[in-house]
Structure formats: C-alpha cells, structure tokens
Amino acid sequence: MRRTPRRRMLAATLFVACALVPMAAPPAASAQTTRVDRTDRTDRHDRHDQNDCPPDGLGLEVAARLDKAIEDVRRQADIPGVVVGLWMPGKGSYVRATGVADTATRRPMTTDGYVRIGSETKTFTVTALLELVDDRRIRLDDPISRYVQGVPNGGRITLRHLAEMRSGLFPYTSDPDFVQDLLSDPQRSFTPREVLAYGFKHKNTFAPGKEFQYSNTNLVLLGLVIEKVSGQRLADFIDGRVLRPARLHHTLFPQGAEFPEPHPRGYTNQTLSGAVADSTDWNPSWAWAAGAMISDLHDLRRWADIVATGKLLSSGTQAERLKTLPTGIPGLSYGLGIFETGGWIGHNGSIPGYETVTVYLPSKKATLVIMINTDITSGGQEPSTLLARAVTGVVTPGNVYDGAIAPR
C-alpha cells in the first residue's frame, strides 16, 4: 500500500518495494568506479546464437511490435532508459536499448552496461545456500537459531521458511528509523547485524509458515548462515561456488558503492522529500544478501537458464527450490528464492535507481532479461513489470508475465 512515497522502502524487492522513504537528498558524491575487462564477452552463447537464436529470426513484424510495445511503456511510465533481451531457441532473438543512460547529458542507453540488480541477488544467495544443502552441511528444515542467535522465535523458524518468505519476521526495510537513517545518508555502510536490529525491534507478523510476506530480513539471515557454515565472507563464497562455476564474469558482489563502467545513471524518488534524485552511487550495503549485487545483460541471460533449471544443484534440491506456494498475489507463486508467473521462472529486482527482470520459460526454453535505470513506479506498478508484461504479451501471449502488486 503506497500511502506516501516514504512507505515504499528501498526494498531491493521482487514485485514490491518494501518500504523506504523519500527525501530530497542532494546528488550523492561520485563513488569509486571500477573498470572491468570485457574482452571475453564472446562465448558459446554468442556463437550458438547465430544459428539457434538469430537476431532477425523473430521477423520484422514481431520486432516492430516489440519496438512499439517497449517504447509505449517507456514513455507512459517515464522510464529514462531500457534494455530488453529476449532469446527464443529455434526462433530468434531480440536485443534492444532505447532511451537515455544519463538524463543530463542525454547519453544513450546501451546493451553493454552494468546495473544494480536488487532482489535478483536473492537467487544467488539461495543458490549458495542450496549448495550447502547438497554438501550435507545444512538442512532446509534446520531452525535458524542453530546458526544465528537472537532471532525472534528462531527456534521455530527454519531455513526453508526464510527462503520461501514465510518466516513472519518483520521486514527491517519497513522500520521508520531504518528508512530515516538510510535516506539521511545514502552513502552510509550498514552491517548485516545493524539492519537486522531494525527489524527485530518489532513483533513477528505471523507464525512461521502461515503466510507469505516478502522480507529482506529473511535473506540477510540466510547470508549469515552461509558465512557461518562456510567460514567465508558471503561475497567470496558466492564468487567461488556460484559465479565462477556459472562463468558469470561480469557479475559481482560489491563491498561498498563501487560500480563497474560502463553503467547508466539511476534515478529514484525514494528520498525524504519525494523529489527525484540520482542514486547511482548510493551504497547498497543495507541490502547485502537480499539485494546488493551488480550484473549485466550477458550474464543475466546465462543466469536465467542456470537458476531455473538447477544446473549448479542436484535434481532433488532443485525440485525443493521449485515447490512454489501461493503468495496471495494473483498469478504469482514463490518457492525458495524464486518465483513463477505465467509459466516464467526467475526473479526481479528493484533498488533505488534500477530495476531488472530475469526469467526463463521452460516450455519454450525462452529467456527474458529487462534492465532499466529507474525504480519510480507508474500507476502503483513497478515499471519493469509493465515492460515484462508488454513484451511477453507480444511473443508468448499464452504465457504473460504478470506478477506485480501495488508497492507497500
């Protein structure tokens, strides 16, 4: 429920923005910029595309309809820049960038930029957790109290409850003090224990397993579990066990506000005043295991297939992941750090200034990736959801992505 902009929250969210406030923060000072070697971008995906997903394979008519649908949404929702990648094996592909990466300079949006991926981070964190399940070092039905002390009702809340958003723990991003502290100083660095403390001040919202409530508190706790069991920093474990095996060379877990070049500027109205601000260099540490990561179109395309088909997991563990349950949101069910809507499996993300969608349609082996440089809602809906709905309405009318709800 978006009572005021400040209830929206920088939720690094899925289909909602959990709660952050809007203030008129001055543009953040430039953060450290990282340059990453991108000379290795051609791989089997790219070479195979020429025959399996040729750029013109969908036909001029479909491409024109997609162009119009995307541009209509971009203009109606006032999205500065959009990148859409669609790959349909045996048919063709569609990769386009439209709009601007920088509203001041009018630099055009391009398909080779990095973006902050918000809650898509959850798919990486949960994959890392499930690898520990496969290693027999943890069990999904272990209580969180076995690994992290001080969690309200932690003896009854399991790792499974946390991963499927059914713990009942209060979302720290909905705490007014957290919102004030974050938006008063978007460059501030938060520790996992600090953000959890904001949520633990509140009573649990329901008994474990009884309801669905999207909460970043759950994923921060899972990040702490991974660190305790593995003996490694979360970023290092994800790098070694997820990113490298998946050959995701342009995906990273930043330590602070660093952001590889090239990237578009990001724009948000999650400020204390509700005014639009450039949030490109805001520090995402507050989102950590729930939403801090960065990636690009190339890697997200690869990841969509890997996470939806379980290429890094045993078949049994992947089956557990894909046991999706109703969310109370029409057309959307949620599993272990992953959702299903209209047959599409994956996740989306929203963090101040950026939104993404990365989903895979098993029935057609199709992949859709969307990246935009704003999280400002339009008509109460995430702009990335509006784009995904428009694209799938054109190319897979029997499988329309429609997992959005009004932000709360």
Side-chain angles (χ1 to χ4, degrees):
M1 309 176 334
R2 189 172 188 170
R3 298 188 187 118
T4 70
R6 75 173 48 218
R7 295 306 302 162
R8 175 152 190 273
M9 173 53 236
L10 301 144
T13 117
L14 149 82
F15 24 65
V16 343
C18 256
L20 201 37
V21 205
M23 124 194 138
S30 294
Q32 175 184 354
T33 292
T34 305
R35 287 194 174 272
V36 176
D37 179 16
R38 303 171 75 85
T39 58
D40 61 341
R41 298 184 62 80
T42 300
D43 62 10
R44 288 189 302 171
H45 260 313
D46 303 309
R47 294 192 295 269
H48 188 56
D49 273 353
Q50 298 306 311
N51 294 322
D52 200 38
C53 294
D56 57 353
L58 296 178
L60 295 177
E61 180 185 355
V62 171
R65 290 174 61 201
L66 285 170
D67 288 345
K68 183 179 186 306
I70 292 165
E71 191 61 12
D72 285 349
V73 172
R74 191 183 75 80
R75 293 186 181 280
Q76 290 165 13
D78 198 22
I79 305 168
V82 174
V83 174
V84 173
L86 173 70
W87 296 269
M88 303 186 72
K91 291 187 176 181
S93 61
Y94 174 95
V95 179
R96 297 281 197 281
T98 183
V100 298
D102 187 323
T103 59
T105 67
R106 310 306 294 177
R107 171 168 57 94
M109 196 76 163
T110 61
T111 60
D112 66 345
Y114 290 87
V115 295
R116 300 192 187 279
I117 64 172
S119 277
E120 289 198 34
T121 301
K122 293 175 173 67
T123 62
F124 294 93
T125 299
V126 173
T127 296
L129 182 86
L130 295 178
E131 289 190 320
L132 291 174
V133 171
D134 276 343
D135 292 346
R136 299 180 183 275
R137 301 176 72 181
I138 62 173
R139 295 179 303 174
L140 284 170
D141 295 317
D142 288 342
I144 184 61
S145 60
R146 181 172 298 177
Y147 305 100
V148 181
Q149 299 302 308
V151 180
N153 204 20
R156 295 185 57 207
I157 295 171
T158 67
L159 305 187
R160 186 189 301 274
H161 289 142
L162 295 169
E164 64 190 10
M165 300 293 179
R166 292 176 179 269
S167 69
L169 291 168
F170 186 86
Y172 67 85
T173 52
S174 292
D175 176 73
D177 291 334
F178 169 75
V179 172
Q180 179 69 32
D181 291 346
L182 175 58
L183 290 182
S184 296
D185 181 12
Q187 293 297 320
R188 174 178 170 177
S189 181
F190 289 86
T191 68
R193 292 285 186 172
E194 285 174 340
V195 296
L196 288 175
Y198 289 102
F200 290 172
K201 296 187 303 181
H202 301 267
K203 292 182 179 179
N204 291 10
T205 55
F206 52 82
K210 294 298 183 183
E211 297 179 30
F212 173 89
Q213 181 184 34
Y214 195 74
S215 173
N216 287 336
T217 301
N218 297 325
L219 268 289
V220 171
L221 285 169
L222 292 181
L224 291 176
V225 171
I226 292 167
E227 290 197 329
K228 180 165 186 176
V229 174
S230 70
Q232 296 181 259
R233 292 172 57 250
L234 177 63
D236 294 336
F237 188 82
I238 286 178
D239 183 64
R241 291 293 301 274
V242 181
L243 303 183
R244 292 188 184 187
R247 303 201 315 279
L248 303 181
H249 306 307
H250 307 102
T251 302
L252 65 147
F253 203 124
Q255 295 184 15
E258 66 269 25
F259 201 165
E261 292 280 6
H263 59 254
R265 308 302 296 179
Y267 304 94
T268 188
N269 64 353
Q270 293 199 66
T271 58
L272 289 180
S273 71
V276 175
D278 183 329
S279 56
T280 308
D281 299 321
W282 288 10
N283 190 332
S285 61
W286 62 271
W288 196 51
M293 290 179 69
I294 293 167
S295 192
D296 71 354
L297 180 69
H298 179 88
D299 275 14
L300 292 179
R301 181 231 177 144
R302 181 190 296 280
W303 183 239
D305 176 25
I306 291 171
V307 73
T309 61
K311 285 183 168 59
L312 298 182
L313 303 173
S314 69
S315 59
T317 299
Q318 178 68 2
E320 291 295 307
R321 175 177 216 159
L322 296 182
K323 288 180 180 177
T324 61
L325 298 172
T327 61
I329 302 158
L332 187 88
S333 59
Y334 203 86
L336 302 179
I338 200 165
F339 68 66
E340 184 275 329
T341 178
W344 293 89
I345 298 171
H347 217 288
N348 68 333
S350 179
I351 195 165
Y354 301 92
E355 288 196 346
T356 54
V357 173
T358 298
V359 287
Y360 180 81
L361 184 61
S363 63
K364 299 183 183 300
K365 298 184 178 179
T367 298
L368 173 64
V369 177
I370 293 173
M371 310 189 310
I372 62 176
N373 58 341
T374 186
D375 67 312
I376 300 172
T377 57
S378 176
Q381 297 194 65
E382 304 291 329
S384 59
T385 296
L386 297 175
L387 285 164
R389 185 182 301 142
V391 169
T392 55
V394 171
V395 295
T396 56
N399 298 97
V400 176
Y401 177 105
D402 195 19
I405 59 171
R408 54 191 167 116

